[in-house]
C-alpha cells in the first residue's frame, strides 16, 4: 500500500491534533483537576499515536505512547498533574511538533527522544522528584506496563473463567502475533476475533478489542478465551489465517488460572528492578526541570469562546486554495454565460425559457455567495498558536500573564489570514515583553501581580479589528520623543507640536527599532515598522492608544477580504472603471459654473473648502470621452487620510461587489490602477487606486 | 543530433515565426480587450481568459512593424514564460510543424527590422520556407523596453 497518498492528510491531521493538544494542555494547566480536559488530551494523543503507527513513524508513535501512559494515569486519577509533568509533556509536544515538521519537509520524522521518553517513563513509575516530595500526590497503583504474557483480570472476569472451567469448558490463554510486514493489522486481528467468536467467547483481551479495532496495538495481542476446542485445534485454525506470525494457546485449569496472576506480580517485580538503575538518573533530570519550573512564572490562558465547545470535531474538509481559485474563475465564466442567456431569453420571448433562465440566475447568485464565503476562515487558525507562545514567553521572562482571547470565530479571507500571523506575533511579543511589567514592578505599582493581555477580534462594518490590549506600563511620551529625536526621526520642535497619537505612531517609524531602544525607552519598537508595513500592504491600518502606567492597546484594522471589495462602477466613454467604495466620500453632480480655477488648477467647493478637480479622462487619455464638452459633470469625491479630491467621470453605473484580480506580472505598475476585475458581461474593468491621485 | 521539437507557426506580414509548442498555452481568436492607460504603446490592454486577466501585446507593435487592421485571421497566442502569462496578437496562426534543433541556425544580424536579440535563430524548412524562432524571454524582457521608451520620449 502506498502511504504517500495519505501523507498530506496525516500531516494536516497531526498538526490539528498537536494544536489541540497544546491548547488543551494550556487549559489544563489553568485548571489541573478537570479530568474532562485530560480525556480530550488523551483522545488526541491516542489518535495521533494510531496515525503515526499506521504511517510507520515509529519514533512519533512511541513518544505519543509514552505520553499516553502518563495521561492514562492522570485520567484514572492515579496521578495528579504537577508542574514538572506539564513541562515534560510540553517538551514532548515540542518534539512531536518538530518530528511532524520534519515529515512535512520530506524527512523521516526520526528523532532522538530517549531523554523525554525516560522522563515520561519515570513519571509513570511515580518517580516524582524529591524536591516535590511533600505535596506530591502522585500515586501509581499498578504499572501499566502489563507484560505481554498475561492480562490483568478483574474479579468478575476471573469468576466467569473459573466458573467455565468448573462447568467443563475449556479456558485458553491465547497469544497471537501478526507478521511484521502486515499492512492492515487491525483487519487481521479482526479476522482472528471473528474466527474465535465462531467457536467460543473472548472474555478479555489485551489490548482491548476497541484498541485493536482502531489499530492501536503492537503486532501482538493476548486474550482469555472460553471454547470447546482444544488448544491445538485453535492454534491450527488461527495459523491458517494469512499474515499470522505465531500463535500460542495454553489450556488453563483453575490452578493455572490463579497462577496467572501470580506470574503477573513476578514479572512486574523483575521489570521494576531492571528499571531501577535508570530511575535515579531520571530523578535528577526531572528534579532539575522542576526547579526551573518552580519559579513563580506562570501563564494562565483563558478563551472566552462560547462557540468552541470542547471535543466536538468540526465537520469540514480541506480544499487546496488553488482549487478554490479555479472554482472562482470557472464561476465567473458561468456568470458570463448567464448574462448571455438572459439576453437570448429576453430576445426570444419564450416564457418557459425566460422562467428557466431567471431561476438559473437566482441559483447562480446564491452559488456565487457560497463560493465567495468558502474563502473565509476563522481567525482562530492564527490565534490558536498564541496561548502556548504567551505561556512560554511568560515563563522565560519570569512574568505572570493572563491571555484572554475573544472573538476567535471572527472570519477573515484566507489571503489575509495567511499574512496576518507574523505581525500579530510581533505585537503580542511586544505586549508581553515590553508592555507587561515584571511581578515585582507590578506589585510596586499597586497592580495585581498577574498581567492581562486581551486579544480580541471582531467585525465592524467592512472591516475586522484585531486588538491586543494589556494592562502594562503604557507608553511615556517623553521617552519616545527623546529616542525619536536622538535617532533623527523628528526634530525637537516637530516633536513638541505632536499629538500623543502622532507620538505613538513614531514607534512604527523605520529605524526606530534598534537594540538600544529596547532597553532605553519603555522598550517598544522592536521591528514595529515591519509590522506596520505588512498591515498597510494588506490594506489595513494600525493604531495605538496608551495611557502611561495603565497599559496599551494596539488596534489593527483589516479589510474583510483582499479579493472581494465593494466598488462603484463608472463609465468614461466606452471604458468602465471600478472605484473602491472605501475611498469614496461622496458622489455628486456639479454644474460647470461651480468649477473654479485657482492657480490654473480646477477646484470645486466641497463642505466649505476647496478641493482639486481631477479629470480622469485626461489622466488616462480616454479616447472617446471629453469632459470639457459636458454641461454637468459627475464627480466622485475621494479621500486619502485628511486630504480630498474630486474625480470627474462621465456616468455612474452602480455599486457592485467585485473580485480583485492582478494585472499579471508582465505589466509594469500603472500609477492610479491597483488591479482589474471581471464584470458580469465578461469584460475586464480596471480598478482605480484613488490614493494615487492625491499627492 | 539535436532534439525534435514541435513549433507553433504564426505570421506577421509575410514572415513566418515559430514558438516552441510547450511555451504556448492556447491560441484564441480576437477577444474584447480592455485598454490599460499609461503603459507601453504595444500593450493593447488586458483580456479575460476564462477568469484570468492576461495582458495582450501587439507583436507588430513590439517589433516596430507597420500596424494593420485586425481581421478574421488575427489570433491571440497565449504564452507562458518566466512565470508571466502574456498574449501576443499575430496576423494568423495555423500551423504546427516538427523541427529538429539542428535545423535552427544562428540569427543573422538583422531580419526584417527585428533586433537579432529577440531571435533564437532561423530555421530553414523545405527549400524556400524560412522560420524565425523567437526568443520569448527577450521579447518579454521589460528592462530593455523601459530604456527604449525613455529614449523615444
Amino acid at each position: 500500500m502506498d502511504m504517500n497518498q495519505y501523507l498530506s492528510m496525516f500531516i494536516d491531521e497531526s498538526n490539528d491534533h498537536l494544536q489541540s493538544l497544546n491548547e488543551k494542555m494550556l487549559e489544563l494547566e489553568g485548571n489541573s483537576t478537570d479530568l474532562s480536559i485530560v480525556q480530550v488530551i488523551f483522545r488526541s494523543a491516542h489518535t495521533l499515536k494510531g496515525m503515526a503507527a499506521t504511517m510507520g513513524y515509529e519514533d512519533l508513535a512511541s513518544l505519543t505512547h509514552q505520553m499516553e501512559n502518563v495521561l492514562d494515569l492522570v485520567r484514572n486519577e492515579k496521578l495528579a498533574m504537577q508542574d514538572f509533568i506539564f513541562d515534560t509533556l510540553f517538551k514532548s509536544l515540542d518534539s512531536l511538533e518538530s518530528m511532524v515538521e520534519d515529515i512535512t519537509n520530506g524527512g523521516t520524522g526520526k528523532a532522538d527522544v530517549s531523554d523525554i521518553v525516560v522522563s515520561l517513563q519515570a513519571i509513570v513509575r511515580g518517580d516524582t522528584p524529591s524536591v516535590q516530595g511533600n505535596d506530591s500526590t502522585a500515586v501509581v497503583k499498578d504499572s501499566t506496563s502489563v507484560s505481554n504474557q498475561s492480562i490483568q483480570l478483574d474479579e468478575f472476569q476471573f469468576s466467569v473463567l473459573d466458573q467455565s472451567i468448573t462447568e467443563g469448558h475449556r479456558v485458553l490463554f491465547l497469544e497471537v502475533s501478526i507478521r511484521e510486514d502486515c499492512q492492515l493489522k487491525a483487519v487481521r486481528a479482526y479476522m482472528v476475533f471473528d474466527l474465535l467468536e465462531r467457536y467460543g467467547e473472548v472474555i478479555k483481551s489485551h489490548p482491548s478489542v476497541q484498541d485493536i479495532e482502531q489499530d492501536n496495538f503492537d503486532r501482538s495481542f493476548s486474550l482469555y478465551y472460553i471454547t470447546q476446542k482444544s488448544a491445538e485445534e485453535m492454534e491450527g485454525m488461527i495459523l491458517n489465517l494469512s499474515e499470522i506470525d505465531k500463535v500460542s494457546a495454553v489450556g488453563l485449569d483453575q490452578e493455572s488460572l490463579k497462577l496467572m496472576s501470580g506470574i503477573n506480580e513476578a514479572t512486574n517485580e523483575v521489570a521494576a528492578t531492571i528499571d531501577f538503575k535508570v530511575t535515579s538518573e531520571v530523578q535528577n533530570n526531572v528534579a532539575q526541570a522542576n526547579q526551573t519550573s518552580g519559579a513563580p512564572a506562570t501563564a494562565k490562558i483563558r478563551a472566552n469562546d462560547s462557540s468552541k465547545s470542547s471535543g466536538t470535531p468540526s465537520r469540514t474538509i480541506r480544499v487546496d486554495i488553488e482549487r478554490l481559485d479555479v472554482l472562482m474563475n470557472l464561476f465567473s465564466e458561468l456568470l458570463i454565460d448567464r448574462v448571455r442567456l438572459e439576453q437570448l431569453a429576453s430576445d426570444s420571448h419564450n416564457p418557459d425559457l425566460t422562467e428557466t433562465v431567471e431561476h438559473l440566475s437566482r441559483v447562480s447568485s446564491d452559488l456565487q455567495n457560497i463560493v465567495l464565503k468558502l474563502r473565509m476562515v476563522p481567525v482562530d487558525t492564527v490565534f490558536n498558536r498564541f496561548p502556548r507562545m504567551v505561556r512560554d514567553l511568560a515563563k522565560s521572562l519570569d512574568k505572570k500573564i493572563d491571555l484572554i482571547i475573544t472573538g476567535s470565530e471572527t472570519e477573515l479571507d484566507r489571503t489575509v489570514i495567511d499574512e496576518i500571523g507574523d505581525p500579530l506575533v510581533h505585537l503580542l511579543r511586544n505586549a508581553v515583553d515590553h508592555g507587561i511589567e515584571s511581578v515585582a514592578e507590578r506589585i510596586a505599582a499597586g497592580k495585581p501581580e498577574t498581567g492581562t493581555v486581551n486579544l480580541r477580534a471582531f467585525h465592524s462594518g467592512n472591516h475586522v479589528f484585531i486588538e491586543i490590549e494589556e494592562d502594562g506600563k503604557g507608553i511615556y511620551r517623553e521617552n519616545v520623543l527623546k529616542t525619536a529625536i536622538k535617532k533623527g526621526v523628528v526634530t525637537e520642535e516637530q516633536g513638541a507640536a505632536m499629538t500623543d497619537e502622532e507620538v505613538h505612531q513614531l514607534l512604527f517609524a523605520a529605524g526606530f527599532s534598534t537594540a538600544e531602544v529596547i532597553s532605553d525607552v519603555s522598550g517598544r519598537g522592536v521591528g514595529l515598522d515591519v509590522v506596520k508595513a505588512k498591515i498597510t500592504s494588506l490594506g489595513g491600518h494600525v493604531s495605538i492608544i496608551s495611557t502611561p502606567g495603565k497599559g496599551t492597546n494596539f488596534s489593527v484594522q483589516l479589510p474583510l477580504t483582499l479579493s472581494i471589495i465593494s466598488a462603484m462602477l463608472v463609465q468614461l466613454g466606452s471604458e468602465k472603471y471600478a472605484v473602491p467604495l472605501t475611498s469614496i466620500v461622496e458622489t455628486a453632480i456639479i454644474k460647470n459654473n461651480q468649477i473654479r480655477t485657482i492657480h490654473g488648477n480646477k477646484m470645486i467647493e466641497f463642505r466649505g473648502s476647496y478641493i482639486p478637480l481631477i479629470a480622469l479622462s485626461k489622466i488616462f487619455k480616454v479616447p472617446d470621452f471629453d469632459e470639457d464638452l459636458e454641461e454637468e459633470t459627475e464627480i466622485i469625491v475621494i479621500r486619502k487620510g485628511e486630504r480630498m479630491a474630486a474625480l470627474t467621470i462621465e456616468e455612474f453605473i452602480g455599486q457592485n461587489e467585485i473580485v480583485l484580480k492582478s494585472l499579471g506580472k508582465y505589466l509594469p505598475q500603472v500609477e492610479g490602477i491597483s488591479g482589474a476585475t471581471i464584470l458580469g458581461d465578461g469584460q475586464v474593468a480596471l480598478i482605480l487606486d484613488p490614493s494615487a491621485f492625491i499627492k | 543530433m539535436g532534439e525534435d521539437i514541435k513549433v507553433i507557426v504564426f505570421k506577421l506580414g509575410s514572415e513566418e515565426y515559430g514558438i516552441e509548442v510547450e511555451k504556448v498555452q492556447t491560441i484564441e481568436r480576437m477577444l474584447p480587450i480592455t485598454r490599460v492607460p499609461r503603459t507601453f504603446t504595444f500593450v493593447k490592454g488586458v483580456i479575460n481568459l476564462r477568469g484570468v486577466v492576461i495582458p495582450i501585446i501587439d507583436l507588430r507593435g513590439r517589433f516596430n512593424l507597420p500596424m494593420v487592421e485586425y481581421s478574421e485571421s488575427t489570433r491571440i497566442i497565449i504564452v507562458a514564460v518566466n512565470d508571466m502569462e502574456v498574449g501576443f496578437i499575430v496576423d494568423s496562426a495555423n500551423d504546427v510543424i516538427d523541427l529538429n534543433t539542428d535545423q535552427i541556425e544562428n540569427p543573422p544580424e538583422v531580419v526584417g527590422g527585428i533586433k537579432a536579440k529577440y531571435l533564437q535563430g532561423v530555421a530553414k524548412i523545405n527549400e524556400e520556407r524560412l522560420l524565425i524562432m523567437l526568443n520569448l524571454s527577450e521579447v518579454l524582457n521589460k528592462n530593455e523596453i523601459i530604456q527604449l521608451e525613455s529614449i523615444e520620449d
Side-chain angles (χ1 to χ4, degrees):
Chain A
M1 192 160 60
D2 179 19
M3 285 294 179
N4 276 333
Q5 54 178 320
Y6 302 116
L7 190 60
S8 71
M9 209 154 74
F10 168 76
I11 290 169
D12 280 347
E13 287 190 15
S14 303
N15 283 327
D16 277 357
H17 281 294
L18 285 173
Q19 185 58 53
S20 105
L21 280 169
N22 253 320
E23 272 170 28
K24 291 293 165 189
M25 285 284 292
L26 288 166
E27 210 176 297
L28 187 64
E29 206 176 22
N31 184 7
S32 63
T33 50
D34 189 345
L35 290 183
S36 68
I37 307 176
V38 183
Q39 291 286 6
V40 178
I41 298 175
F42 184 82
R43 270 202 299 275
S44 253
H46 193 74
T47 318
L48 190 60
K49 181 182 84 172
M51 290 193 311
T54 315
M55 296 293 292
Y57 297 118
E58 281 158 27
D59 287 354
L60 201 69
S62 78
L63 182 54
T64 25
H65 180 72
Q66 297 299 337
M67 288 176 67
E68 222 182 298
N69 284 345
V70 173
L71 291 165
D72 192 43
L73 292 180
V74 176
R75 72 172 177 160
N76 290 324
E77 296 186 68
K78 288 172 185 165
L79 179 72
M81 284 306 275
Q82 292 167 61
D83 254 10
F84 75 96
I85 302 181
F86 276 114
D87 284 341
T88 320
L89 287 177
F90 271 125
K91 241 185 267 170
S92 317
L93 283 183
D94 287 343
S95 301
L96 292 178
E97 255 164 35
S98 54
M99 284 166 166
V100 172
E101 203 183 310
D102 182 43
I103 294 168
T104 313
N105 297 332
T108 56
K110 286 208 182 304
D112 182 17
V113 290
S114 48
D115 282 359
I116 300 176
V117 168
V118 168
S119 316
L120 286 169
Q121 281 170 341
I123 293 171
V124 171
R125 275 192 309 273
D127 296 333
T128 52
S130 47
V131 202
Q132 202 67 25
N134 295 339
D135 60 345
S136 157
T137 44
V139 185
V140 184
K141 278 196 206 136
D142 52 2
S143 162
T144 47
S145 62
V146 178
S147 82
N148 255 354
Q149 289 89 44
S150 63
I151 317 171
Q152 301 279 356
L153 287 173
D154 62 28
E155 253 172 68
F156 174 74
Q157 288 159 338
F158 180 82
S159 67
V160 168
L161 292 170
D162 198 48
Q163 192 89 36
S164 303
I165 296 171
T166 324
E167 284 170 10
H169 295 288
R170 283 204 178 94
V171 170
L172 302 179
F173 180 73
L174 278 162
E175 279 183 84
V176 183
S177 305
I178 293 166
R179 281 231 307 268
E180 209 161 327
D181 56 357
C182 173
Q183 291 287 359
L184 295 164
K185 291 180 299 174
V187 176
R188 294 298 161 215
Y190 171 78
M191 290 170 74
V192 173
F193 275 85
D194 192 47
L195 178 86
L196 290 172
E197 267 150 27
R198 255 182 278 162
Y199 300 102
E201 202 179 341
V202 177
I203 295 302
K204 165 100 184 182
S205 75
H206 177 85
S208 72
V209 178
Q210 206 182 354
D211 276 350
I212 294 172
E213 274 173 5
Q214 288 169 0
D215 221 345
N216 289 319
F217 69 113
D218 233 9
R219 287 185 305 113
S220 58
F221 52 91
S222 44
L223 47 93
Y224 287 101
Y225 182 54
I226 306 176
T227 181
Q228 290 298 342
K229 302 268 174 198
S230 71
E232 291 73 34
E233 274 178 295
M234 285 318 300
E235 273 183 19
M237 279 195 283
I238 294 173
L239 271 177
N240 268 341
L241 297 173
S242 48
E243 294 192 291
I244 300 295
D245 192 18
K246 55 177 193 247
V247 183
S248 85
V250 187
L252 300 177
D253 53 23
Q254 273 157 332
E255 277 297 293
S256 53
L257 186 62
K258 259 182 221 147
L259 211 69
M260 287 296 283
S261 34
I263 295 167
N264 279 348
E265 280 159 26
T267 37
N268 276 352
E269 263 167 32
V270 175
T273 41
I274 296 168
D275 281 343
F276 190 72
K277 257 197 293 179
V278 200
T279 313
S280 51
E281 273 174 57
V282 177
Q283 248 169 346
N284 291 339
N285 287 347
V286 180
Q288 271 174 355
N290 186 51
Q291 264 169 358
T292 47
S293 68
T298 58
K300 240 201 314 180
I301 315 296
R302 271 189 271 151
N304 293 1
D305 276 330
S306 49
S307 65
K308 257 179 65 190
S309 59
S310 60
T312 0
S314 58
R315 286 157 48 82
T316 54
I317 53 165
R318 293 164 196 281
V319 183
D320 189 339
I321 192 101
E322 272 172 33
R323 287 196 193 164
L324 270 187
D325 286 343
V326 173
L327 181 65
M328 284 258 260
N329 289 343
L330 284 174
F331 199 81
S332 36
E333 281 285 284
L334 190 67
L335 291 184
I336 295 158
D337 289 345
R338 184 185 86 184
V339 173
R340 182 97 187 96
L341 269 177
E342 279 167 353
Q343 192 125 43
L344 289 174
S346 77
D347 290 350
S348 73
H349 302 292
N350 177 340
D352 281 352
L353 178 61
T354 316
E355 208 172 289
T356 315
V357 170
E358 271 169 10
H359 184 246
L360 177 80
S361 306
R362 276 199 302 278
V363 171
S364 59
S365 47
D366 287 353
L367 253 175
Q368 185 177 23
N369 277 332
I370 288 174
V371 171
L372 294 183
K373 274 199 192 111
L374 284 181
R375 297 174 57 91
M376 303 299 276
V377 186
V379 74
D380 186 31
T381 50
V382 184
F383 280 8
N384 57 22
R385 58 173 140 144
F386 293 149
R388 176 71 196 281
M389 189 190 91
V390 170
R391 173 201 184 263
D392 290 356
L393 261 180
K395 272 211 158 183
S396 69
L397 291 167
D398 216 8
K399 290 179 181 175
K400 288 193 171 184
I401 287 164
D402 234 344
L403 174 67
I404 300 172
I405 297 178
T406 34
S408 59
E409 73 283 354
T410 311
E411 285 191 330
L412 261 169
D413 188 85
R414 183 64 208 231
T415 42
V416 185
I417 293 269
D418 288 345
E419 301 287 327
I420 197 61
D422 287 346
L424 288 183
V425 167
H426 245 100
L427 290 177
L428 260 182
R429 290 188 71 97
N430 235 284
V432 174
D433 195 2
H434 307 306
I436 303 275
E437 314 89 330
S438 68
V439 173
E441 281 176 283
R442 287 186 69 89
I443 292 170
K447 294 180 179 180
E449 57 180 28
T450 305
T452 308
V453 178
N454 273 294
L455 178 61
R456 286 185 213 108
F458 54 91
H459 282 288
S460 176
N462 230 355
H463 287 91
V464 168
F465 286 83
I466 298 176
E467 290 186 348
I468 293 167
E469 188 180 29
E470 29 82 356
D471 60 348
K473 59 187 115 171
I475 300 168
Y476 288 88
R477 176 192 170 94
E478 313 78 60
N479 292 344
V480 178
L481 277 179
K482 209 166 69 192
T483 316
I485 292 163
K486 203 163 81 190
K487 296 274 167 215
V489 181
V490 289
T491 64
E492 211 153 325
E493 297 77 48
Q494 282 173 327
M498 281 173 136
T499 63
D500 283 358
E501 207 172 303
E502 286 167 326
V503 172
H504 294 160
Q505 284 289 331
L506 282 177
L507 296 172
F508 292 115
F512 208 83
S513 56
T514 64
E516 237 181 354
V517 187
I518 301 165
S519 49
D520 267 353
V521 189
S522 53
R524 301 201 172 263
V526 191
L528 283 182
D529 55 327
V530 183
V531 171
K532 178 161 187 178
K534 185 87 216 181
I535 290 167
T536 314
S537 78
L538 290 172
H541 179 74
V542 54
S543 59
I544 309 175
I545 304 163
S546 179
T547 318
K550 291 266 172 63
T552 307
N553 182 354
F554 279 87
S555 178
V556 180
Q557 179 190 343
L558 291 164
L560 260 187
T561 166
L562 292 182
S563 48
I564 308 157
I565 58 169
S566 289
M568 172 67 81
L569 292 180
V570 301
Q571 185 126 27
L572 288 161
S574 58
E575 298 184 348
K576 288 172 186 166
Y577 292 91
V579 189
L581 228 48
T582 44
S583 47
I584 298 181
V585 181
E586 197 171 295
T587 58
I589 300 176
I590 53 160
K591 295 222 164 10
N592 268 353
N593 57 20
Q594 285 176 277
I595 303 174
R596 304 265 179 279
T597 312
I598 298 169
H599 261 300
N601 297 316
K602 284 184 174 173
M603 309 283 263
I604 58 156
E605 197 186 339
F606 180 77
R607 291 184 190 165
S609 62
Y610 279 91
I611 60 172
L613 196 63
I614 300 163
L616 207 53
S617 60
K618 294 220 163 66
I619 291 181
F620 283 168
K621 299 198 177 96
V622 176
D624 48 6
F625 172 66
D626 187 357
E627 54 151 38
D628 291 345
L629 306 173
E630 304 270 297
E631 283 257 320
E632 283 183 334
T633 307
E634 277 84 352
I635 59 162
I636 295 178
V637 180
I638 53 169
R639 178 182 55 199
K640 178 191 188 183
E642 297 296 298
R643 277 168 295 181
M644 290 193 272
L647 296 176
T648 63
I649 53 138
E650 186 185 357
E651 219 175 310
F652 300 112
I653 299 171
Q655 192 185 320
N656 227 325
E657 300 269 298
I658 58 167
V659 178
L660 261 171
K661 297 192 182 249
S662 102
L663 283 176
K665 272 196 178 170
Y666 179 73
L667 284 183
Q669 274 293 317
V670 183
E671 213 188 347
I673 294 194
S674 61
T677 187
I678 295 172
L679 301 177
D681 61 358
Q683 282 273 12
V684 180
L686 300 177
I687 301 170
L688 294 189
D689 170 18
S691 63
F693 299 112
I694 304 175
K695 294 281 164 359
Chain B
M1 261 309 270
E3 266 179 274
D4 284 323
I5 53 170
K6 278 199 187 302
V7 174
I8 302 269
V9 180
F10 64 87
K11 273 190 166 179
L12 287 180
S14 58
E15 281 167 17
E16 285 193 300
Y17 294 82
I19 302 176
E20 291 120 90
V21 79
E22 64 260 28
K23 289 186 176 149
V24 175
Q25 298 198 316
T26 66
I27 300 174
E28 303 281 328
R29 289 175 178 276
M30 272 310 278
L31 291 162
I33 297 177
T34 300
R35 188 182 68 95
V36 178
R38 300 158 129 188
T39 180
F40 313 125
T41 45
F42 55 80
V43 173
K44 287 292 131 192
V46 288
I47 59 160
N48 163 22
L49 185 75
R50 288 178 272 286
V52 182
V53 175
I54 296 180
I56 299 299
I57 292 172
D58 192 306
L59 217 49
R60 279 180 173 266
R62 180 72 181 88
F63 296 151
N64 289 324
L65 299 174
M67 301 301 283
V68 292
E69 288 275 307
Y70 299 139
S71 71
E72 265 298 294
S73 61
T74 304
R75 292 289 179 275
I76 299 175
I77 302 181
I78 311 285
V79 298
V81 183
N82 306 338
D83 271 355
M84 289 186 282
E85 274 185 288
V86 173
F88 291 137
I89 299 179
V90 299
D91 290 356
S92 66
N94 39 25
D95 204 359
V96 182
I97 58 164
D98 292 306
L99 206 65
N100 191 290
T101 44
D102 282 353
Q103 284 173 271
I104 303 174
E105 288 159 28
N106 284 339
E109 268 309 294
V110 171
V111 182
I114 300 175
K115 284 198 173 162
K117 65 182 297 189
Y118 296 151
L119 308 182
Q120 189 188 319
V122 175
K124 205 192 267 177
I125 323 162
N126 306 331
E127 282 307 300
E128 67 284 11
R129 221 170 145 191
L130 268 186
L131 192 64
I132 304 162
M133 295 296 295
L134 282 184
N135 182 346
L136 284 187
S137 10
E138 276 307 323
V139 174
L140 295 180
N141 185 342
K142 284 182 283 184
N143 300 334
E144 189 233 6
I145 303 167
I146 292 157
Q147 279 171 10
L148 266 181
E149 301 246 320
S150 53
I151 293 165
E152 279 168 16
D153 277 347

